[in-house]
Amino acid sequence: MTAAILTEAVAPGVTQITMNRPERKNALDQASYRGLIAAFAAAEADAQTRAIVVTGTGGCFTSGNDIRDFATSALEGARVAMDFLTTISTATKPIVAAVEGFAVGIGTTMLLHCDLAYAGEGSTFRMPFAALGLCPEGASSYLLPLAAGSKRASELLMLAEAFGSEIAREAGLLNGVVAQGAALGTALDKAKALAALPPQSIALTKQLLKRGQAAAIADAIATEARHFDERLRSDEAQAAFAAFLKR
Ligand code: COA
């Protein structure tokens, strides 16, 4: 069986973590979350790694949580997703995201925890939580208003519609939009630049940038997760999952 998460040392000091379930648009099931947690933990522990690039295979970032998992083993899946969000939000090494194609659900919200993020033109983003009978996760109810302003955050989280890379950039989810297919190359260049800088200074800079928000982010992740667990069992959510799986 092919691993759902691939880890590769792609350049001196740079580890690339790739979501790899192309037949499901890289949807994250429990094994994927466990793979991501292990990959980030290994990169954090590896003295050679100075910057981490996260991306998806097959011209797609990720279609978000696996809806089949939501429909069947919902609570266990939600717990491991929360563990992943805690892992990525507390990472000490710089993380650069490379997005092509779709970045849905946690695929969008994890960008709020990456230090840098680049997307290819034509990429599509969506936080469909409200439309699926769920609620925001990944501290997006806290971080998105800060990054995007409250009106834009309400629009993206309440209307729950898909949006393009320019809006994602304006909303503070991205540093830049590059030519389609060029996101990974750009992210690798930025990761190499970070890896070439003094690592203790980079770690301290990241720590200071995050310091003021760390407690609020942890609280938002935990509070959202409690509501999310309840919503997963709701009739509204179960009906939305059944509708997706019956398409
Ligand atoms: N969970 C489980 N399976 C998923 C999935 C997900 N999140 N996203 C895609 N898939 C599956 C599809 O069911 C399909 O399977 P099939 O070939 O057996 O029919 C396959 O992956 C390809 O997806 P498809 O929908 O045909 O691709 P598309 O290019 O037309 O659309 C998306 C891509 C991402 C827009 C669409 O798949 C989608 O909306 N997925 C759900 C996203 C979502 O709501 N995630 C949860 C966030 S909380």
Side-chain angles (χ1 to χ4, degrees):
M1 207 175 79
T2 318
I5 303 299
L6 306 174
T7 304
E8 200 185 346
V10 282
V14 180
T15 294
Q16 181 178 319
I17 297 174
T18 306
M19 297 174 279
N20 183 45
R21 290 181 81 211
E23 72 288 355
R24 291 272 173 262
K25 301 272 170 188
N26 303 328
L28 300 173
D29 60 1
Q30 290 178 47
S32 311
Y33 286 122
R34 286 197 197 96
L36 281 170
I37 291 166
F40 275 93
E44 282 278 319
D46 173 26
Q48 303 305 313
T49 300
R50 292 182 170 196
I52 301 164
V53 169
V54 60
T55 192
T57 202
C60 182
F61 192 60
T62 169
S63 59
N65 205 105
D66 190 301
I67 292 186
R68 212 164 263 100
D69 252 24
F70 265 163
T72 52
S73 49
L75 290 184
E76 182 51 32
R79 244 164 248 136
V80 74
M82 187 182 147
D83 290 345
F84 165 63
L85 287 162
T86 300
T87 298
I88 195 169
S89 67
T90 56
T92 64
K93 292 186 179 175
I95 303 171
V96 187
V99 177
E100 299 283 352
F102 294 102
V104 184
I106 198 166
T108 298
T109 60
M110 78 166 84
L111 301 177
L112 292 162
H113 302 286
C114 295
D115 302 289
L116 303 176
Y118 300 88
E121 267 174 25
S123 301
T124 301
F125 301 77
R126 190 176 177 206
M127 291 173 284
F129 311 116
L132 287 172
L134 299 169
C135 69
E137 46 84 300
S140 55
S141 65
Y142 171 69
L143 286 174
L144 194 62
L146 290 180
S150 60
K151 288 289 181 292
R152 183 67 97 181
S154 300
E155 177 190 336
L156 301 182
L157 282 169
M158 294 179 75
L159 287 175
E161 293 168 349
F163 53 98
S165 42
E166 266 312 318
I167 289 182
R169 193 186 56 75
E170 280 171 25
L173 291 161
L174 300 174
N175 292 84
V177 179
V178 297
Q180 189 172 3
L184 181 56
T186 306
L188 288 172
D189 286 347
K190 301 295 178 189
K192 285 179 207 163
L194 287 165
L197 291 165
Q200 290 171 15
S201 186
I202 291 294
L204 180 59
T205 301
K206 175 163 177 160
Q207 185 195 321
L208 291 170
L209 279 164
K210 302 261 172 196
R211 180 182 57 100
Q213 296 177 335
I217 290 172
D219 179 65
I221 289 176
T223 303
E224 290 168 348
R226 276 199 300 279
H227 291 290
F228 203 95
D229 274 7
E230 286 167 16
R231 295 307 303 164
L232 280 171
R233 280 171 288 204
S234 70
D235 292 344
E236 288 178 350
Q238 289 298 325
F241 304 152
F244 177 79
L245 296 172
K246 250 192 250 138
R247 291 180 311 164

